Each structure stands twice: as structure tokens, then as C-alpha cells.
């Protein structure tokens, strides 16, 4: 999983996808390489973010690498490999590539014809809720798994770079 939007701000969405595709309830850190600098968030309000790489795994043996760099200019690239399949989201070319039992273990390319940015998708989710009474968003309990991984991984670095007494990650 790679891009240039920050480990806290957008990296959590990559971990969400990993958790969704693996359906694992426990994601733990197997290491990191965090840049020793924070970057001001475009959202302002004293918010900052970190770049670098986080390595995560599940007890079943699924693992991922989440890497965000301040100087990448191409779209995000998500590659998830697990025992249930392989899934690639290539934001730059607008494709989802799936290799799983559902595709007879062949690479099947699905074009992504809409803007899949979370900020854009939120409008669709809100519309479904307001007009159809349907909510396909994950529950708070389901989201907690990936958010806890990100916050537990990043908080020590925020404390080191900003304030040892900090008890939250200053990201959106």
C-alpha cells in the first residue's frame, strides 16, 4: 500500500481494506521505519502527519506493508495478498485486479469508473442513508481494528517528535 497522503490521514484506509479483505480481527505491528519529521496537514488546525513505512500482520499469516512518502506524485497503489486472494487497487490507472476463488484464481481486471477517494465516496454513503435508509459502512467496532493498529503504531513517533505527554495522534 503506497502513496503520498500520510500514514495517519490516508494510511488508515489502506489498513481498513486489508482488514476487510482478510476478515481478520487482530492486526499487529511487525515493525516500522518512520521518517523523523512531521508534515503539516492540508486540513490545518494544528494537524500533522507522518511518512514512512509500517509493517503489519495477522495471526493467520496475512501481512502488509504500508508506505507513504512526502514526494510521491502518482496515485495510491494497494496490493493485498492473503490466503483468500490477491487484490490490487491501482488508483493511477483506475483498475481493481482480483485473483481469488471467485475469479477461478485468474487475474480479473475490473475498471474503476468512479472517484474512489473516501471524501467522494462519503457523498454516496450519505445519499444511501438519507434516501434509501441503507448504510453499508462498517460499524465502529469493525473500524476500530485498523484504527487501533494505526494509532498504536504512530503515537510513539508523535510523542517523540512533538510532545511526550501526547495521548492522541493529531491527524484527521
Amino acid at each position: 500500500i503506497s502513496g503520498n497522503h500520510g500514514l495517519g490521514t490516508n494510511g488508515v484506509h489502506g489498513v481498513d481494506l486489508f482488514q476487510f479483505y482478510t476478515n481478520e480481527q487482530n492486526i499487529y505491528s511487525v515493525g516500522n521505519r518512520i521518517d523523523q519529521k512531521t508534515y503539516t496537514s492540508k486540513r490545518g488546525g494544528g494537524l500533522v502527519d507522518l511518512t514512512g513505512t509500517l509493517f503489519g500482520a495477522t495471526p493467520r499469516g496475512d501481512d502488509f506493508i504500508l508506505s507513504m512518502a512526502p514526494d510521491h506524485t502518482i496515485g495510491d497503489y494497494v496490493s493485498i495478498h492473503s490466503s483468500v486472494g490477491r487484490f490490487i487497487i491501482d488508483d493511477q490507472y483506475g483498475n481493481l485486479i482480483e485473483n481469488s476463488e471467485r475469479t477461478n484464481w485468474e487475474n480479473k481486471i475490473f475498471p474503476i469508473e468512479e472517484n474512489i477517494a473516501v471524501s467522494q465516496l462519503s457523498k454516496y454513503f450519505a445519499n444511501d442513508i438519507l434516501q434509501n435508509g441503507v448504510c453499508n459502512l462498517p460499524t465502529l467496532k469493525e473500524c476500530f481494528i485498523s484504527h487501533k493498529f494505526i494509532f498504536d503504531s504512530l503515537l510513539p513517533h508523535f510523542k517523540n517528535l512533538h510532545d511526550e505527554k501526547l495521548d492522541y495522534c493529531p491527524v484527521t
Side-chain angles (χ1 to χ4, degrees):
I1 304 169
S2 64
N4 67 343
H5 300 292
L7 290 169
T9 302
N10 280 10
V12 70
H13 303 303
V15 182
D16 280 335
L17 284 170
F18 174 77
Q19 195 274 325
F20 173 79
Y21 281 119
T22 62
N23 198 30
E24 282 290 302
Q25 302 303 304
N26 183 13
I27 301 172
Y28 59 90
S29 175
V30 292
N32 65 65
R33 185 202 50 77
I34 304 297
D35 299 331
Q36 294 301 301
K37 177 181 177 185
T38 57
Y39 295 87
T40 303
S41 171
K42 64 181 179 182
R43 293 177 174 93
L47 301 172
V48 296
D49 212 333
L50 295 168
T51 56
T53 303
L54 298 174
F55 304 93
T58 68
R60 184 176 64 197
D62 306 308
D63 55 22
F64 70 91
I65 299 169
L66 172 62
S67 185
M68 296 288 175
D71 57 355
H72 289 183
T73 57
I74 61 172
D76 292 346
Y77 185 86
V78 177
S79 176
I80 298 171
H81 300 250
S82 77
S83 61
V84 298
R86 291 171 181 79
F87 310 89
I88 298 171
I89 300 171
D90 187 345
D91 192 40
Q92 182 175 0
Y93 294 106
N95 290 316
L96 166 70
I97 302 166
E98 180 178 343
N99 178 309
S100 68
E101 187 174 356
R102 187 174 79 155
T103 65
N104 294 316
W105 299 106
E106 295 179 10
N107 286 339
K108 175 132 176 138
I109 299 173
F110 299 93
I112 301 171
E113 298 173 357
E114 299 181 31
N115 182 343
I116 61 170
V118 172
S119 56
Q120 182 65 32
L121 292 176
S122 297
K123 297 172 190 174
Y124 297 119
F125 295 134
N127 189 52
D128 276 350
I129 293 167
L130 296 173
Q131 292 192 1
N132 305 320
V134 175
C135 178
N136 291 316
L137 291 169
T139 65
L140 183 59
K141 182 179 178 181
E142 292 166 336
C143 290
F144 183 75
I145 297 164
S146 54
H147 285 70
K148 182 175 182 347
F149 171 83
I150 287 289
F151 294 139
D152 288 350
S153 297
L154 297 183
L155 185 58
H157 300 282
F158 280 117
K159 284 183 173 186
N160 181 48
L161 294 168
H162 280 276
D163 181 358
E164 290 183 13
K165 296 177 185 169
L166 199 63
D167 62 354
Y168 64 95
C169 293
V171 300
T172 58

